[in-house]
Amino acid sequence: LRMANPRVVFVLGGPGSGKGTQCSNIVQKYSYVHLSAGELLRAERKRAGSQYGELIENYIQEGKIVPVEITISLIRKAMDETMVSDASKNKFLIDGFPRNQDNLDGWEKNMEGKADVAFVLFFECSDEICIQRCMERGLNSNRSDDNLESLKKRFQTYWESTRPIIEHYHKLGKVRKVDASSTIEEVFADVQKIFSHED
Ligand code: UP5
Ligand code: MG
């Protein structure tokens, strides 16, 4: 007897499009576990004894995408720990990953046959709105990339590297797109429409 593969939903969209906010909403209503690749990297950055702390900080400030070996090992570890602690927790929202071809290759190399990607939840929002949200958050957050200089680089990376990954999944019929420019409540109403069909 073999356990079913974990079910994965990738959550993508520009910086500040609301990925983290909506994932928090989703886990309150549906039985998913939220794993933010960016949060996992930020935690690894400050972990005492990490050999990657400085590298991660440099990549994050430059809006560049950390080599997949680092990210995938953090994601795998988090998934494994979750499922070991409670075998019924086998549905994951993976937020902010895969962001480029290197990420996608690393995912396929490591997880092909071990996890099933159900669909990609794509939050579409203009750069202007996203930048405004991140700048506002930057007033209180201690994120080292919520400043105009880093934000420009994050958006360049998003358009150059992440949009082609969304397009790749779109061609496979796997993208569920949500207009993320309205209020948190309105966006979540659209998100629920998707999850009530897919779940
Ligand atoms: N807000 C949210 N929704 C709103 C709404 N509908 N109306 C008004 N305000 C709204 O939201 C951002 C802000 O907007 C918040 O203040 C929120 O209250 C408000 P949030 O939910 O945090 O948006 P999110 O899309 O999660 O924005 P985030 O800044 O986290 O997105 P990024 O994709 O930039 O950040 P992430 O943490 O994923 O990655 C950071 C960096 O880590 C990357 O740039 C990269 O350097 C590195 N990284 C990798 O290298 N590899 C990875 O796999 C992942 C990350
Ligand atoms: Mg986030």
Side-chain angles (χ1 to χ4, degrees):
L1 193 76
R2 202 178 142 273
M3 297 283 284
N5 282 339
R7 173 186 173 91
V8 167
V9 172
F10 289 140
V11 182
L12 294 175
S17 58
K19 301 183 292 296
T21 302
Q22 296 299 332
C23 285
S24 302
N25 284 340
I26 294 165
V27 299
Q28 287 182 35
K29 175 141 186 184
Y30 304 95
S31 58
Y32 277 83
V33 175
H34 175 206
L35 298 178
S36 159
E39 292 297 340
L40 290 169
L41 288 165
R42 284 186 285 275
E44 174 66 17
R45 174 185 63 186
K46 64 178 186 204
R47 185 174 66 81
S50 169
Q51 54 179 316
Y52 301 123
E54 206 175 315
L55 181 152
I56 291 170
E57 179 53 23
N58 290 335
Y59 273 75
I60 285 180
Q61 267 190 40
E62 290 300 314
K64 293 194 303 184
I65 298 158
V66 171
V68 70
E69 290 73 21
I70 298 173
T71 316
I72 198 87
S73 75
L74 296 171
I75 293 172
R76 282 190 75 162
K77 187 161 171 274
M79 289 177 73
D80 289 344
E81 283 174 0
T82 303
M83 291 186 290
V84 164
S85 76
D86 181 348
S88 72
K89 290 185 177 169
N90 63 352
K91 297 201 279 184
F92 296 90
L93 301 169
I94 301 188
D95 158 7
F97 179 95
R99 293 173 108 91
N100 66 0
Q101 190 63 44
D102 175 58
N103 279 184
L104 185 55
D105 293 344
W107 172 267
E108 285 174 350
K109 185 172 151 209
N110 282 272
M111 302 305 282
E112 195 80 78
K114 298 194 184 99
D116 300 330
V117 178
F119 59 95
V120 174
L121 181 61
F122 169 34
F123 290 116
E124 191 177 51
C125 194
S126 71
D127 292 9
E128 290 70 28
I129 292 177
C130 288
I131 288 172
Q132 198 185 341
R133 289 179 187 171
C134 290
M135 290 301 287
E136 263 169 47
R137 181 181 56 190
L139 299 174
N140 314 303
S141 80
N142 44 17
R143 279 190 47 169
S144 57
D145 58 350
D146 278 343
N147 57 77
L148 215 44
E149 205 185 325
S150 292
L151 273 163
K152 280 183 192 151
K153 295 172 181 168
R154 290 160 69 189
F155 276 95
Q156 189 174 351
T157 302
Y158 170 67
W159 283 100
E160 276 177 14
S161 305
T162 310
R163 288 297 287 235
I165 302 305
I166 297 169
E167 184 54 28
H168 161 80
Y169 281 108
H170 176 69
K171 286 185 185 137
L172 298 174
K174 285 203 165 188
V175 172
R176 308 290 177 269
K177 185 166 80 175
V178 172
D179 174 5
S181 61
S182 50
T183 66
I184 292 172
E185 294 72 25
E186 285 167 328
V187 176
F188 188 51
D190 288 342
V191 166
Q192 283 170 275
K193 286 179 200 154
I194 292 169
F195 277 79
S196 59
H197 283 292
E198 298 276 357
D199 229 47

